[in-house]
Each structure stands twice: as C-alpha cells, then as structure tokens.
Amino acid sequence: MIITSFFAALGQIGDARFRRVLLLGVALTVALLIAATSGLVWLIGSLTADSVSVPWVGTITWLDDIVSWGSFFLFFGLSIFLMMPVASAITSMFLDEVAQAVEDRHYPHLAPANSVPISDAVVDTLNFLGVLIVANLLALILYVFFAPLAPFIFWGLNGFLLGREYFTLAAMRRVGRARAKELRRAHIATIWLAGTLMAIPLSIPLINLLIPIIGAATFTHLFHKITKAQAPGQTSSYR
C-alpha cells in the first residue's frame, strides 16, 4: 500500500500544479529566511555599542561589526538546517492543490472535495511550523548523546511529524478534521512508516525540497487506499 502510493506520487511529479506549489513554497521560504536573518542582524547591530573601551587595549570601534557578521553567519547556518522544516510548513498551505491534482488524475469519479478555509490553513501551517522547528532543535541534544543513532532519530522524528500532518491534510478534505484524526490514530503505524519513507531523503539537498509535494501526493493515495480497504466494494464518493 505504501510503496504503490509512493510510486504513483513519483509518476506525477512533472504535473504543472506540483511545480507551481514547489516554486511558491521555496520562494516564500527563502524570502522568510532572508527577512529573518536581516532583521536579526539589524537588531543585534542596533543593540551593540559602536565602540567599547577595554583596559590596556584602548577603544575598540569594530565590535558591532564583528557581532553583526557573527550573528549573520550563525543564523545563516541555522537557516540551512531549518530550510526543510520551514519549507515543509509553508508549502503545506498550498498542498490542497497537490491533493486535488492527484484526485483529478487517479480518482476522477470523486465528488468535489471540501476546501480548507484559508484561515484554518494558516493556523495549521503555523502550528506545524512551530512543532517542526522545536522538535528538530530539541533533537540536536539527542544527536549529541546518541551520535551513531542520529540518522534514525532524525528519520523517525520527522517521519512521524510528516506522516501525521500530510495524512490529516489529505483525509480532512474528504471526511473532515474529526474523522481524519480517528483514521490517523487507527492507522498510525502505517502512517508513521510512510512518513519515514518521506523523511529518509530529507538529508539530500534540493531533493528534500520535493518531499512536501511527494508526501502530500503519497498520503492522498494512501488515504484512498485505507478507506477503500475499510469499505470493500464501495466507491470513494464521500465528501
């Protein structure tokens, strides 16, 4: 079920709607990270004195430059680390279009899906972004103490978070938020395993930016396969 859903998603990767969501998500992510970095550098620079008098050394006039540039490179490094979770969260606002593209091609008999209100999409995105960033920053502690297991911790953690988010997104379009959560709890092992499959390429630069798109498409297929397996002989005409 997971493998067939994954390869069906890969087979549609050239879809124009997939590319649009990818480019939009990456553009917004880069803009956000640049704005955050610039804002942080400006704030630290404004709070740092232009000159400092040091005993036996004299007046240092370049301290604010050192602090500003140091904060720039620090946040730039963090931006590289945060690129994937931030891109995943921002792109999730537009993944309804990916799910619709999958259904248009593979499930054309379905009734129109219930659109997620933009306010709900923004709230869900902010929640997902916060959880992703906090969880991945906290995981840095585990990476230090359990270095040999770091890749597995990374895959397991992000696999759980990605699977949870993308399955809910795919399901709630058809059966609502409450029922989506019930299905998620009932099939958590399958969802976590599928999410881990999405998380494994996260450490590959550029490829990892495709994960939100592939993930949304994969979990759209997975949702339909799960609901079809629960109700054999019935068509997926639910709303």
Side-chain angles (χ1 to χ4, degrees):
M1 185 183 295
I2 295 174
I3 297 301
T4 55
S5 297
F6 177 68
F7 280 104
L10 282 182
Q12 200 174 343
I13 197 64
D15 192 294
R17 282 178 285 184
F18 282 30
R19 292 198 302 272
R20 177 182 178 278
V21 171
L22 172 64
L23 294 176
L24 187 58
V26 171
L28 289 175
T29 299
V30 171
L32 175 62
L33 293 176
I34 290 175
T37 302
S38 301
L40 179 67
V41 171
W42 174 84
L43 178 62
I44 293 177
S46 65
L47 295 177
T48 304
D50 293 334
S51 61
V52 176
S53 296
V54 179
W56 302 296
V57 175
T59 301
I60 298 177
T61 59
W62 38 261
L63 181 62
D64 59 331
D65 293 331
I66 294 296
V67 172
S68 295
W69 280 105
S71 61
F72 170 79
F73 286 112
L74 174 62
F75 199 81
F76 181 77
L78 286 176
S79 296
I80 296 175
F81 174 76
L82 295 174
M83 179 70 177
M84 178 54 212
V86 173
S88 294
I90 290 180
T91 306
S92 68
M93 284 196 299
F94 313 105
L95 291 184
D96 184 73
E97 187 171 346
V98 174
Q100 189 59 54
V102 169
E103 291 180 345
D104 287 345
R105 174 177 293 191
H106 297 275
Y107 311 95
H109 59 281
L110 293 178
N114 296 316
S115 298
V116 179
I118 186 63
S119 58
D120 288 355
V122 171
V123 171
D124 289 343
T125 295
L126 292 176
N127 290 336
F128 184 40
L129 176 59
V131 171
L132 272 175
I133 292 177
V134 171
N136 278 279
L137 288 177
L138 290 177
L140 291 174
I141 301 173
L142 296 178
Y143 299 157
V144 172
F145 288 100
F146 305 99
L149 299 177
F152 301 99
I153 296 173
F154 179 84
W155 296 335
L157 171 63
N158 287 280
F160 177 81
L161 295 175
L162 290 175
R164 183 178 183 275
E165 177 70 12
Y166 292 153
F167 182 83
T168 302
L169 181 145
M172 65 187 291
R173 299 174 65 255
R174 290 291 168 183
V175 296
R177 189 182 297 271
R179 179 57 179 158
K181 290 181 178 179
E182 292 176 2
L183 288 170
R184 190 182 70 205
R185 287 192 293 267
H187 301 277
I188 186 61
T190 300
I191 292 168
W192 193 348
L193 182 59
T196 302
L197 179 63
M198 300 297 105
I200 289 176
L202 290 184
S203 55
I204 305 175
L206 300 181
I207 298 296
N208 54 16
L209 297 177
L210 294 172
I211 297 306
I213 312 297
I214 297 174
T218 298
F219 278 98
T220 299
H221 286 292
L222 193 61
F223 163 73
H224 288 297
K225 292 181 185 299
I226 285 175
T227 51
K228 183 177 180 181
Q230 286 186 332
Q234 299 181 12
T235 58
S236 300
S237 58
Y238 36 79
R239 295 180 64 89

